[in-house]
Amino acid sequence: MPGADLPRRASGRVERAAADADFGPWADGAEAAPDDWRAWLRLGIAYDNAGDRRRARAAIRRAIALARG
């Protein structure tokens, strides 16, 4: 999962610079498999780790829509 092995702040949030550096593979995964809800969920988590809540919510909503069929 995105952010599982990234350094964290004292608050428990992932360090933003590390999240930004880790973002690429998750975006590539969603681009490579646009109909896979799992890829979109991972992308949403990666967006959340990077601090982009708006895009995180949109990606997770897309994952839910794909999972529902």
Side-chain angles (χ1 to χ4, degrees):
M1 291 303 289
D5 57 349
L6 296 179
R8 298 185 178 270
R9 293 186 248 158
S11 65
R13 299 285 305 158
V14 174
E15 289 184 11
R16 183 172 233 152
D20 289 343
D22 185 56
F23 183 80
W26 307 111
D28 293 343
E31 184 178 319
D35 295 329
D36 182 7
W37 68 266
R38 292 166 197 87
W40 285 97
L41 179 63
R42 290 187 291 264
L43 179 60
I45 294 169
Y47 272 127
D48 185 60
N49 287 340
D52 192 341
R53 303 279 190 269
R54 185 181 60 81
R55 286 191 175 116
R57 285 190 300 270
I60 291 173
R61 282 188 196 113
R62 183 164 182 181
I64 291 168
L66 288 169
R68 289 182 176 169

